[in-house]
Amino acid sequence: MTLQEYDYACESPSKLAASCLLLALTMKNLGGWTPTLEYYSGYSAQDLHPLVKRLNFLLTYQPRGKLNAVRSKYSHRVFFEVAKVTPMDMLKLEETLTSS
């Protein structure tokens, strides 16, 4: 989804990928950012928090009327219907990120 948003063009691909992973881990309650992830990504969890919040905001308030190809593709069973996953509540995300 970020490929369709100009605001994310300035972010480094590695930081964007790391932030997406942290958001996915948080959304699925699969644990937090481990020292191993920090070592191999080069990013601490605190480095990623602002971008994770922006990504969740993008999921929450995405425009529904245009550019639906990505949403349609990832709503399919083959891709585990990840486009249908409910975004986290912004306050709960903030609480989860600050507690880890």
Side-chain angles (χ1 to χ4, degrees):
M1 291 184 61
T2 59
L3 293 174
Q4 302 173 85
E5 299 293 330
Y6 186 74
D7 294 342
Y8 293 89
C10 63
E11 300 294 343
S12 77
S14 62
K15 188 172 187 178
L16 191 56
S19 297
C20 288
L21 177 59
L22 179 54
L23 179 58
L25 290 170
T26 306
M27 287 173 76
K28 296 303 250 174
N29 201 22
L30 296 173
W33 202 245
T34 65
T36 303
L37 289 170
E38 183 173 342
Y39 176 80
Y40 284 107
S41 71
Y43 298 106
S44 70
Q46 288 73 27
D47 295 339
L48 303 175
H49 287 179
L51 188 51
V52 169
K53 292 178 204 172
R54 284 179 51 212
L55 289 167
N56 192 62
F57 186 84
L58 177 65
L59 291 173
T60 304
Y61 299 104
Q62 58 191 306
R64 300 269 184 210
K66 58 182 183 173
L67 304 172
N68 288 320
V70 172
R71 169 169 282 293
S72 176
K73 176 180 179 178
Y74 288 98
S75 293
H76 194 274
R77 189 177 63 182
V78 172
F79 296 103
F80 303 102
E81 300 177 332
V82 295
K84 295 179 181 178
V85 174
T86 306
M88 287 190 74
D89 176 71
M90 296 300 278
L91 294 175
K92 183 177 180 185
L93 177 64
E94 177 73 31
E95 182 180 294
T96 304
L97 291 174
T98 55
S99 68
S100 54

